[in-house]
Each structure stands twice: as C-alpha cells, then as structure tokens.
Amino acid sequence: MKAIVITTPGGPEVLKLQDVEDPELNADEVLVKIEATALNRADTLQRKGQHPPPKGTSPYLGLECSGTVEAVGKDVSRWKVGDQVCCLLSGGGYAEKVAVPAGQVLPLPPGVSLKDATAFPEVACTVWSTVFMTSRLTAGESLLVHGGSSGIGTFAIQIAKYIGARVFVTAGSEEKLAFCKNLGADVCINYKTEDFVSRVKEETGGKGVDVILDSIGASYFKKNLESLNYDGRLFIIGFMGGAVTELDLRALFPKRLTVQAAGLRTRTLENKAAIVSEVEKNVWPAIGAGKVKPVIYKSYPLSEAAEAHRLMESSDHIGKILLMFRASEIKSSMSPAQMTLLGSASCVMLSMHFTIQLLSQHLFYWKNPKEQKAIITIILMAPLYAVVSFVGLVDIQGSKAFFMFLESIKECYEALVIAKFMALMYSYLNISISNNIVPDEIKGREIHHSFPMTLFQPHTIRLNHKTLKQLKHWTWQFVVIRPVCSILMITFQLIGIYPSWLSWTFTIILNISVSLALYSLVVFYHVFAKELAPHKPLSKFMCIKGIVFFCFWQGLVLSGLVALGVIRSHHFWLDVEHIEEAIQNVLVCLEMVVFSVVQQYAYHVYPYSGDVEAKMKLSKKNE
C-alpha cells in the first residue's frame, strides 16, 4: 500500500508518499480501506520528532480516518466487510489501509458523508472525554475554549451549546471570532487585542467560567486559574505555549480549583473503547439532529500532505484539514455544491435556449403584434423563474429579505403574465375593451357565478361591454396589488418589523387577489370555450399555472419535510431553512426546462406563419 512516510524529522518537506507493507490484522481488529483522514496538531509534532507514536502502534501519521471495512479479525462481531465507518487511531491514518482495534471504530454519524465523517473521531473523543467525562460540564455552566476556530474549538462550541452551556472562546482574528460566533459561541475574545481574564470577569460578573479547555499550556496557566469560577476545572490538552511553568499552590485553595490534564493517543485500548462508546451514545445523536456539524476548511490529496502541514502550521485555517485518498477526485472533480450549481446553470441555459428559439420564431413571423407581444411576455416566464431561482442558489446564505425579494420578482411577473393571458384571449375573440368593441355574436351570453362570488354578484348575468371590462379589471388588480404588497413586505422585513400576524395579513390579501384573477380567467374560458378551442387555450393556460403550481405545492411539501425532520442541515454555515430554499431553487431550475419545451407546443409560431395560414384556408375551402 502507499503511505506518507517521515523520511527524517523536520519540516513539511520531509513527508513523502512511498510504498510500504500492508498492516497486519489482529484478532480483535478491523482492517479499513481509508477514504480520508484529518490533520491534527500532534501530526506536526510527530513529523518534527517531538511526539513519537505509542509502542506497538503504526509508525505513520494520522489519528483518525473514515473508510470501508475490508476485513475483520476472528474475534470481531459488530463489524462486517463493506461497512462504512470512521475510526479513532493511534497512528496510521496517512495510509491507504489501517488496522484498528474494534472498540475504536464508529458507524458514520447520521446524515454525514464518508468524507466528512473523518472530521469527527479525534475532536469528538478529545472534547467529550475531557470537558464532559472528566470536567463534568453541565447545562447552565460556562466553558472557555482557547483556539475556538481550531478543529477542537469548533467542535467544542457546538457540543457545549447542545448541552446548554454558555461558551466563551479566544481566537486571533476578527474573521475567526465571527466564525465562532456563527457557530454559537456567546462571548468571543481576540487574545491579541484583549486580556481574556478581564473580559471573562466582565462577562460573568466577576465570577469566572466553570471549565476551561486549554491547548496552550504554560503561557496561559496562571491566567486560566484567574479566569475560573469557584469549583472551576482547568483541563490542559496541549502545550503550544510551553510545557514548563510555576504554580503557587495557594492559588488553588480559595476557589477549590481543579487542574486536569490528559492526552488521547497514549490511553489504554480499554479506555479509548469506553470513550468511543460514550461518544457514539452522546455525540452521534447531536450530529444526527443537525446540532453539531463538520467544519472542514480544505481537502488535499494524500500526495500533498506537506502542503496540508504548512497550512496547519500557519494557523490560517478554521476547522479541520483533510487528506483524501482519491487524488483524482480532489483535482478534477467538483464538490456536490459545485456540481449542483453547474447542473442548475445548465438548466437555466437550456430554458433560455428553448425560449429564445421560440421568441426568435415569433419575431421572424411578426404578423399580429398584439397577440405576439402577449405571447412573448408569457413565454419569458420560464427563463425568468429559472434565472431568479439560480440567483437564490448562488447566494444560498442570503437574508430573508433577499429571498423575499427574489420570490416577489417571480410573483409580480406571474401577475403580469395572468393579465397578458387574458389580453391574449380577448384578442383571439376580437374583443377590445378600450375601443368598446364586442362582437355582436357573443353579446348577451350568460355568465354563471358560483359561491363565494354570489355574495357580491348575481348568480347569472348577461355578457356585455361592462361585464367584459369587469373581468379584465379582476385580472389586472393582481398586477397592482402584488408589487405593492411585495414592496411593503420587503420594507417591513428590512426594518425588522414583520410579525407573524402581518405576514398572514399579506398572505390573505394576496391569496384573495390571485384567486380573483384566476377566477376571471376560468369564467371567461367557460363562456367562450367553443370559440377559443382552435387556439388551444387550455394548454397555454396550463403552461402558466403549471409553473405556479409546481413552485407553490412543492414548496409546501418541502416545508412539511422540514417540519417532519426529513430534511435537516448538516452544515455549520447553513440552516435548514436555507437548505429548503436551495432545494426549491434547484427543482425550479429543472422544471423550467420542461416548461420551456412544453411552451414550444402551446405557443407555437404556426398560426402566424404563411404556410399554416394557407393550409387553414385550404381546409375551410374543402369543407
């Protein structure tokens, strides 16, 4: 197999990809074909010769991995060949295969991909074994995490918030602090510009925090003790700021402080198995509920391990750095998000292609400007919906006001299309309201209203210029009301005054308005179904309502799936509402391709081309 080998202690350049022997499988072990591994600070120390692996373990780097079970020892019962797992390791993660004690193997967290799962074992086991199993952090207490933007820090923030603790973090840049805040940290302290002791005391009314998770060591030791509350616990897991310091034991007595320290790599197999079991029992449900998400900064192919180490040592990253074992996927393939964007962009282009094709045909056979202007307005609905949905997909983290604005564009155009469709039907029948032209053969026909319109109109009325004008006004009122409501809704959203009762008020107004517009179209169709039949009004109308129908009802279905927990967020930077919005936008992009194709039939240019006109005349002559 291939593995990253430390050719000699030193800098990142000493890491080389070489052929090595496959690991031997013991009776109580599982052989895993590795998909991905994650970097840890201990890897850089081992590379320098400062952190040798425990005796009897793999000499290669890598303290966690994810992959597929390739073989199991004779004493292993839980795991079988083909299982996808993630593992806590004592070493060996920077290789194509690794033999793992069965007690250190975990199933993939619910809803997490095989690649992303590799970001969890080391941080989850470290934080849970220290902060919770040893320091006993509980709901209502406070936790200070140094290095809040690290892999350990980003996980600690999320799991501590999940159990109900108040979280303080330190980090060295405003960008990192903002990231921690977004993850849920309550108090974010820039250690370069602020004294964290003073800030902690200020935020806690002079008391201090209950637990501190510290990877700095000596340089923070005294400050950490000053930052603790009564019965406070300091847990040290690293020595980035030095390993030697002085302690005045009297500092521990007044507040009954406890100083704890432990590593994870050197623990016994039994102890590691116990930690892994607790992590699966307590942490995996939080991940499954979407409360704890993988924070992955960047992925490298295994062959670029040296570059990954340089990034780790620069401390410019936030969260975890991964090494992938399919280098071709890293270099040539796109992430699922990029593939989704590319696919959606392709759908937008196809929708525009079919629409422009149809539009150009109408412009070429420009014989009835009144009708064809209405048709062009209608057929542009599909690409408009596609483009607007794609914009929402590109800016997936947009605000509620932003998405409301995008929805308003679609719905305002929908209102215009409904009015233009009515105008097209009037044109087919040679009706002109503005010029007071109503053919004699259609005057006097009966219009039968149904409930609830009978509350405001007689059940039966006679068709005349006045009633036709009324039907037109019923469609055009939506063209006015829709944009007015949109402007008001966006304004209220931006100024932060948008209570639920106001939202419902707008919803009721708009539903009444669109229902009245659609009702007028239905009434008109029933009265003139025979005359309109040659123009295929039903297929034309279904193109319009089909677009609206799919957008509306699939939106309701997606909302239901979110409410039922079927759609969940597994990304720290994206909540479930934005995921719902993204799925809706992707579906709309796909559907608009279908509708732009259907429009080729429903709004075909044949009625305006000379050949068709000639055939129609010939057909009438033969009759």
Side-chain angles (χ1 to χ4, degrees):
M1 68 175 184
K2 291 189 179 296
I4 293 294
V5 175
I6 303 172
T7 54
T8 184
E13 68 281 355
V14 305
L15 300 178
K16 303 295 181 184
L17 184 63
Q18 298 181 358
D19 289 313
V20 299
E21 293 294 325
D22 284 3
E24 294 183 5
L25 184 65
N26 294 322
D28 61 346
E29 292 181 330
V30 173
L31 183 65
V32 176
K33 183 178 182 181
I34 299 177
E35 171 83 8
T37 187
L39 272 66
N40 289 279
R41 190 68 63 173
D43 297 340
T44 64
L45 298 177
Q46 182 175 339
R47 189 200 71 224
K48 297 174 184 177
Q50 299 172 6
H51 189 55
K55 188 176 179 180
T57 62
S58 173
Y60 308 118
L61 298 169
L63 301 179
E64 57 193 331
C65 73
S66 62
T68 305
V69 174
E70 196 168 81
V72 296
K74 62 183 181 64
D75 294 338
V76 176
S77 59
R78 179 178 181 184
W79 307 106
K80 64 181 185 299
V81 174
D83 285 344
Q84 291 191 325
V85 297
C86 55
C87 314
L88 177 68
L89 309 174
S90 296
Y94 288 26
E96 291 182 319
K97 299 177 184 179
V98 65
V100 191
Q104 293 170 217
V105 180
L106 287 152
L108 297 188
V112 178
S113 69
L114 185 59
K115 171 193 170 186
D116 289 355
T118 198
F120 281 121
E122 177 72 15
V123 295
C125 290
T126 296
V127 174
W128 193 261
S129 65
T130 56
V131 175
F132 297 96
M133 293 175 69
T134 308
S135 291
R136 305 286 182 184
L137 181 71
T138 58
E141 290 192 312
S142 53
L143 169 69
L144 169 61
V145 182
H146 291 301
S149 61
S150 66
I152 291 284
T154 52
F155 176 83
I157 292 168
Q158 296 180 84
I159 195 64
K161 291 301 295 181
Y162 174 73
I163 64 99
R166 188 183 185 202
V167 179
F168 293 65
V169 298
T170 62
S173 74
E174 294 307 313
E175 177 191 3
K176 290 181 177 181
L177 293 175
F179 192 96
C180 293
K181 190 75 174 178
N182 190 45
L183 279 180
D186 299 287
V187 180
C188 302
I189 306 165
N190 190 329
Y191 65 83
K192 292 181 179 179
T193 60
E194 292 183 85
D195 175 41
F196 73 81
V197 179
S198 300
R199 182 70 184 281
V200 166
K201 291 292 183 70
E202 176 188 336
E203 295 286 345
T204 59
K207 294 179 180 180
V209 294
D210 299 296
V211 177
I212 297 176
L213 183 62
D214 175 49
S215 57
I216 307 301
S219 62
Y220 273 14
F221 188 71
K222 292 181 180 178
K223 286 187 172 184
N224 281 333
L225 296 181
E226 293 174 28
S227 301
L228 285 170
N229 192 7
Y230 284 92
D231 297 309
R233 292 85 79 193
L234 166 63
F235 206 112
I236 302 170
I237 58 171
F239 313 105
M240 293 175 63
V244 180
T245 187
E246 290 184 354
L247 168 64
D248 184 346
L249 292 173
R250 291 173 294 183
L252 304 176
F253 280 64
K255 293 195 287 185
R256 305 180 296 276
L257 304 182
T258 302
V259 178
Q260 302 161 324
L264 186 60
R265 191 179 194 184
T266 55
R267 293 177 185 242
T268 64
L269 295 182
E270 294 75 17
N271 190 230
K272 287 182 182 178
I275 292 170
V276 167
S277 177
E278 288 295 308
V279 164
E280 183 177 356
K281 186 190 306 180
N282 295 285
V283 176
W284 261 219
I287 298 172
K291 302 301 182 182
V292 177
K293 300 161 190 174
V295 181
I296 297 171
Y297 184 75
K298 193 170 184 179
S299 299
Y300 290 90
L302 183 63
S303 58
E304 295 181 17
E307 191 61 34
H309 272 233
R310 290 187 183 95
L311 176 60
M312 166 71 76
E313 292 179 314
S314 73
S315 294
D316 290 336
H317 65 291
I318 296 174
K320 300 290 283 187
I321 302 168
L322 305 189
L323 291 177
M324 299 293 294
F325 287 79
R326 298 181 191 174
S328 59
E329 290 187 3
I330 301 294
K331 292 180 178 179
S332 62
S333 294
M334 296 175 289
S335 68
Q338 291 172 321
M339 292 178 67
T340 301
L341 277 177
L342 181 60
S344 299
S346 300
C347 290
V348 172
M349 296 303 293
L350 282 171
S351 179
M352 293 179 68
H353 166 74
F354 290 124
T355 302
I356 291 171
Q357 186 181 60
L358 182 58
L359 186 150
S360 62
Q361 290 171 354
H362 276 281
L363 291 176
F364 186 80
Y365 293 106
W366 192 249
K367 292 197 171 183
N368 190 328
K370 186 176 181 181
E371 289 181 12
Q372 289 177 283
K373 283 179 183 179
I375 288 173
I376 288 173
T377 300
I378 293 167
I379 65 175
L380 287 174
M381 186 178 184
L384 178 82
Y385 266 54
V387 169
V388 172
S389 295
F390 183 73
V391 171
L393 199 58
V394 171
D395 191 7
I396 197 171
Q397 292 180 275
S399 65
K400 288 184 178 180
F402 172 72
F403 286 116
M404 187 180 287
F405 171 71
L406 294 182
E407 283 301 309
S408 296
I409 292 175
K410 292 190 288 189
E411 290 168 359
C412 289
Y413 198 81
E414 174 199 341
L416 177 63
V417 165
I418 290 174
K420 285 294 183 181
F421 182 79
M422 175 65 93
L424 181 63
M425 297 301 103
Y426 274 37
S427 179
Y428 285 153
L429 299 177
N430 297 316
I431 297 172
S432 176
I433 300 299
S434 58
N435 294 323
N436 200 20
I437 299 174
V438 180
D440 293 335
E441 61 268 23
I442 66 175
K443 289 180 179 179
R445 290 189 183 181
E446 290 186 345
I447 296 178
H448 300 285
H449 287 299
S450 56
F451 182 83
M453 289 304 297
T454 51
L455 297 174
F456 313 99
Q457 294 285 327
H459 182 271
T460 303
I461 59 174
R462 295 288 178 178
L463 186 69
N464 55 33
H465 179 268
K466 181 181 177 182
T467 53
L468 286 172
K469 188 175 183 180
Q470 186 179 56
L471 290 177
K472 180 181 179 180
H473 288 164
W474 284 357
T475 55
W476 276 95
Q477 54 81 26
F478 186 47
V479 180
V480 176
I481 290 175
R482 177 66 258 192
V484 170
C485 285
S486 293
I487 292 170
L488 291 174
M489 290 162 69
I490 293 168
T491 302
F492 285 129
Q493 187 74 248
L494 288 173
I495 63 178
I497 305 174
Y498 199 64
S500 59
W501 67 265
L502 186 58
S503 174
W504 277 107
T505 300
F506 281 120
T507 300
I508 292 169
I509 292 172
L510 290 172
N511 274 285
I512 292 173
S513 179
V514 70
S515 296
L516 182 60
L518 293 175
Y519 176 80
S520 67
L521 290 179
V522 172
V523 168
F524 189 86
Y525 174 73
H526 276 298
V527 173
F528 300 109
K530 184 178 179 181
E531 288 83 358
L532 291 172
H535 302 282
K536 301 176 182 176
L538 196 57
S539 64
K540 289 179 168 64
F541 182 65
M542 290 311 296
C543 281
I544 299 170
K545 282 314 297 173
I547 293 174
V548 178
F549 174 86
F550 275 100
C551 292
F552 177 76
W553 286 105
Q554 78 192 10
L556 287 184
V557 170
L558 290 173
S559 296
L561 293 175
V562 168
L564 292 171
V566 176
I567 297 176
R568 292 180 289 183
S569 171
H570 296 285
H571 304 279
F572 66 92
W573 49 273
L574 200 61
D575 59 32
V576 70
E577 287 79 12
H578 284 92
I579 290 178
E580 177 190 351
E581 192 72 39
I583 295 172
Q584 170 81 324
N585 286 330
V586 171
L587 291 174
V588 170
C589 289
L590 287 168
E591 291 155 2
M592 292 310 107
V593 177
V594 176
F595 282 109
S596 61
V597 172
V598 173
Q599 286 179 162
Q600 298 270 338
Y601 163 77
Y603 294 95
H604 205 283
V605 75
Y606 284 164
Y608 308 102
S609 63
D611 290 342
V612 172
E613 285 182 358
K615 288 178 182 178
M616 289 176 68
K617 288 178 181 178
L618 181 62
S619 176
K620 288 181 180 178
K621 204 172 188 181
N622 292 334
E623 289 174 1

